[in-house]
């Protein structure tokens, strides 16, 4: 059996005909409904008459007893995980590339349509060495700049103004200019023969991915992510006793996670959530109600629903509304209803927590206590209650600077109690991330990972020093709708 493929760790690539090179859509296909059109006289959603795939009781049982680990890879039976090379967990076929001179829109389309979580950036198509990466954190930051939500500091203001004028003139903004807008994932490489011990120390310090290269060269042969390593150790845990003995213990007894989880109230505008994730270096954010009950989750990957100009009003709508759009889209794409399952409690075992992380492909689980009355007393939601607009296709153009976007005040509001599965949550009490788990594994194995909290502080300092938070005054915002910066190497 081969080592786990990254196909297990990411969503299936879009196979829409509109994404194929050289495909000419029909006149009917070429028209996409605008956001406002979708709110006027649209036919009833099929979700209104479709029954949930699982009953409330069945879903709760699934959450309480997640699937067990998959079949162990016989190649690693009886082998000490600390002597396994990082290259054994990688596959060159999983790599997706883009060139520095590629336009930001083309790079984004490749990122979304390929199903990859990250693209490798190179100078030329015939190269196998990477100089940077492009991922959903980069896209989130670019969208914030493109819509005037964030601004550069005084030092970079002339560069950003120049690039804004270039975009307004209709010129393509190359990836080399769009990169480097602020706090970025560090670009770290390891040779393919390096042991997993080295990787787990790096991951335990808060790094999310490592680029794997051929020994003695810069040629990339794979990418190892935190999630892929956690999944590998989970599926092969019986072969690694030092780690396997940790799984039956509770999160509380292990003392992992943080009690200072960052969240946002569901009534806040979506743009505030994206700015908060960007400023704090987060990949996802808990959405809570007025009693701090977890009612949803927003991640950087979800910004792919915002890459059409007509979806810009979503930025001014509430986080609760966007969570309902995410769930509706997921239900339509997967053919079944989707519920938020990104939470555990302090007495959940590590096995329960890891199983959920692997199953949901999430980077963190929210720790919740018993629900506050607002959710505990809520009646089971009906799937036909939320008024949800259908988001536009994510493969169309990024937001343009002219004309300026206007808030859609008539957008439907969605209450927290109306969200499917919302009354299964609880009061937010903390968070456990992949970094926390890999840090635990490293320390249990006698290794010395760096303090992940220090890396988080560095990200915040980087964000604060590279840009001011908030929006520019009206005189500046008009010239900064598509702000970009020079690439940092």
């Amino acid at each position: 059996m081969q080592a786990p493929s990254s196909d297990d760790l990411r969503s299936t690539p879009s196979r829409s005909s509109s994404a194929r090179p050289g495909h000419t859509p029909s006149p009917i296909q070429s028209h996409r409904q605008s956001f406002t059109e979708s709110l006027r006289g649209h036919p009833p959603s099929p979700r209104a008459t479709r029954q949930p795939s699982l009953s409330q009781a069945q879903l709760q049982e699934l959450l309480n007893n997640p699937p067990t680990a998959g079949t162990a890879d016989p190649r690693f039976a009886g082998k000490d995980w600390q002597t396994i090379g990082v290259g054994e967990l990688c596959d060159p076929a999983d790599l997706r590339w883009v060139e520095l001179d590629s336009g930001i829109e083309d790079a984004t389309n490749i990122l979304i349509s390929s199903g990859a979580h990250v693209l490798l950036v190179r100078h030329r198509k015939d190269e196998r060495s990477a100089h940077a990466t492009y991922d959903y954190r980069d896209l989130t930051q670019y969208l914030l700049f493109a819509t005037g939500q964030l601004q550069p500091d005084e030092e970079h203001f002339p560069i950003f103004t120049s690039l804004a004028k270039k975009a307004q003139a209709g010129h393509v903004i190359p990836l080399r200019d769009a990169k480097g807008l602020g706090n970025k994932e560090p670009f770290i490489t390891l040779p393919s023969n390096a042991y997993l011990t080295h990787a787990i120390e790096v991951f335990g310090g808060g790094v999310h991915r490592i680029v794997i290269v051929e020994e003695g060269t810069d040629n990339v042969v794979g990418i190892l992510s935190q999630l892929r390593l956690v999944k590998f150790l989970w599926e092969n845990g019986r072969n690694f006793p030092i780690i396997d003995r940790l799984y039956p213990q509770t999160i509380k007894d292990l003392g992992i996670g943080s009690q200072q989880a960052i969240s946002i109230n569901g009534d806040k505008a979506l743009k505030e959530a994206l700015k908060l994730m960007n400023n704090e270096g987060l990949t996802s954010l808990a959405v809570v109600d007025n009693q701090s009950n977890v009612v949803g989750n927003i991640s950087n990957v979800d910004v792919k629903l915002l890459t059409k100009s007509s979806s810009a009003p979503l930025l001014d709508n509430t986080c609760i509304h966007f969570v309902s759009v995410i769930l509706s889209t997921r239900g339509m794409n997967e053919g079944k209803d989707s519920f938020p399952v990104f939470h555990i409690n302090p007495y959940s075992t590590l096995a329960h927590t890891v199983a959920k992380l692997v199953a949901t492909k999430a980077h963190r689980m929210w720790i919740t206590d018993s629900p506050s009355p607002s959710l505990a007393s809520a009646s089971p939601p009906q799937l036909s209650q939320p008024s949800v607009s259908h988001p536009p296709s994510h493969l169309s153009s990024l937001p343009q600077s002219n004309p300026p976007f206007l808030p859609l005040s008539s957008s439907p509001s969605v209450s927290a109690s109306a969200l499917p599965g919302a009354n299964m949550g609880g009061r937010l009490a903390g968070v456990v991330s992949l970094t926390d788990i890999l840090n635990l594994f490293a320390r249990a194995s006698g290794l010395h990972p760096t303090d992940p909290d220090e890396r988080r502080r560095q990200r915040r300092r980087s964000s604060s020093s590279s840009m001011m938070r908030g929006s520019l005054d009206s005189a500046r915002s008009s010239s900064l709708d598509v702000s970009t910066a020079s690439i940092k190497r």
Side-chain angles (χ1 to χ4, degrees), residues 446-466:
L447 305 175
H448 304 283
T450 58
D451 181 6
D453 290 331
E454 177 57 31
R455 183 169 294 280
R456 295 184 184 110
R457 288 189 288 268
Q458 289 175 356
R459 284 174 178 159
R460 291 165 188 160
R461 287 195 296 267
S462 173
S463 177
S464 299
S465 62
S466 62

Side-chain angles (χ1 to χ4, degrees), residues 60 289-295 343-346 367-378 421-429:
Q60 190 64 61
D289 65 9
N290 292 334
Q291 285 72 42
S292 296
N293 295 301
V294 176
V295 295
H343 57 267
I344 57 173
N345 65 65
I367 303 174
T368 61
D369 292 332
S370 299
S372 295
S374 66
L375 287 187
S377 60
N423 60 337
M424 295 183 185
R427 186 177 59 83
L428 183 63

Side-chain angles (χ1 to χ4, degrees), residues 35-50:
F35 188 86
T36 50
E37 286 175 337
S38 70
L39 299 179
R40 294 198 302 265
H42 61 281
S45 168
R47 301 184 78 247
T49 57
R50 187 171 72 242

